[in-house]
Amino acid sequence: MTTRTAMAVVMALAVAGCGAGDDRASGADDRASGADGRVTGAVTVFAAASLTESFRRIGKEFEAANPGSTVTLNVAGSSALANQINQGAPADVFASAAPANMATVTEAGNADGTPTVFARNQLVIAVPRGNPTGVAGLADLSRPGVKVALCANQVPCGAAARTALDAAGVALTPVTLERDVKGALAKVKLGEVDAAVVYRTDVRAASADVTGVEFPESTRAVNDYPIVALKDAPNPAGARAFVAYVRSAPAQAVLAEAGFQAP
């Protein structure tokens, strides 16, 4: 073999070796994200209770757009979810009903990037169908004999309700403080209270059982909903893709239909 031939063989092997390494890296990326850029695998989303119905639908649409992916929702009060994340619960995405609870996660260093507000929500008074107690505003909730459910103060719907009540100058002692908005709404549906201060979207989702009473002070307590991928996400690609999908036109249409306001 001549010297020139030997050098050609060495160069050919080197190029082949580089090509094999690139293929392996590409294969690893394909397994994580899919050959066409779509993500696969489980995506665990911790979402505020008020997002339950909308995120179920958005999750199904995300799965349809990303064959091989599975969205699992853990819905609860935002404060409880933030605590779970900071205590090491495995999750890919956090969607909070208020920036304050999101800050609990970001300040602990558990967010991957900067949270983005993707929706807003406003309070209404939920009463049984037909409004038998004749509730017309926040002041009516302080009438003698009117039983009211609120969310706990550390929960976004509870903090917002307190802001609205203070704006209206209404002093109110609820008969129960619930750990999330669904719990407060359930008290109305079960006939255990006469009214609850909840989100407009929750009343719309339960319109067969309850009626929403609007009140002007709700404009003083509109909640921003931020979302973020989490630093220790088991499926980082899936986390980023889900956050992006929530901000996309199809997901925003779902949220608008549910009664959420655009950010």
Side-chain angles (χ1 to χ4, degrees):
M1 178 182 296
T2 66
T3 300
R4 179 175 297 180
T5 302
M7 291 179 64
V9 170
V10 170
M11 291 178 65
L13 290 172
V15 171
C18 290
D22 289 346
D23 286 345
R24 286 193 294 269
S26 176
D29 289 343
D30 288 349
R31 287 192 295 273
S33 301
D36 56 1
R38 296 174 181 173
V39 298
T40 59
V43 181
T44 301
V45 179
F46 280 31
S50 51
L51 292 165
T52 300
E53 293 82 9
S54 295
F55 266 34
R56 281 178 182 162
R57 183 172 165 187
I58 289 171
K60 293 298 182 185
E61 293 183 356
F62 179 85
E63 291 172 351
N66 296 274
S69 67
T70 303
V71 176
T72 299
L73 293 181
N74 175 27
V75 293
S78 296
S79 57
L81 294 174
N83 289 335
Q84 291 173 28
I85 291 167
N86 288 343
Q87 290 168 6
D92 296 297
V93 175
F94 179 37
S96 173
N101 303 103
M102 178 61 76
T104 302
V105 171
T106 58
E107 290 170 3
N110 290 322
D112 178 17
T114 303
T116 302
V117 174
F118 66 94
R120 308 180 83 200
N121 212 349
Q122 199 161 333
L123 298 174
V124 297
I125 301 168
V127 296
R129 293 287 296 175
N131 194 4
T133 56
V135 171
L138 291 178
D140 292 326
L141 302 184
S142 62
R143 293 197 323 243
V146 177
K147 295 181 289 184
V148 179
L150 296 178
C151 297
N153 290 337
Q154 67 269 26
V155 180
C157 63
R162 285 298 176 189
T163 297
L165 288 164
D166 290 345
V170 174
L172 173 65
T173 302
V175 297
T176 181
L177 290 171
E178 296 298 313
R179 60 185 180 181
D180 61 46
V181 70
K182 296 300 185 186
L185 187 65
K187 295 294 183 180
V188 179
K189 294 168 67 174
L190 294 171
E192 296 179 10
V193 299
D194 301 303
V197 181
V198 300
Y199 294 120
R200 182 181 291 160
T201 54
D202 293 289
V203 168
R204 183 173 295 191
S207 59
D209 303 304
V210 302
T211 297
V213 177
E214 301 278 350
F215 57 93
E217 296 83 4
S218 66
T219 60
R220 305 279 293 275
V222 177
N223 277 15
D224 288 341
Y225 280 56
I227 190 169
V228 75
L230 296 172
K231 185 183 70 174
D232 295 326
N235 186 351
R240 290 189 293 269
F242 187 84
V243 170
Y245 189 80
V246 167
R247 298 172 60 194
S248 72
Q252 288 293 306
V254 172
L255 291 164
E257 184 179 334
F260 287 96
Q261 301 169 22

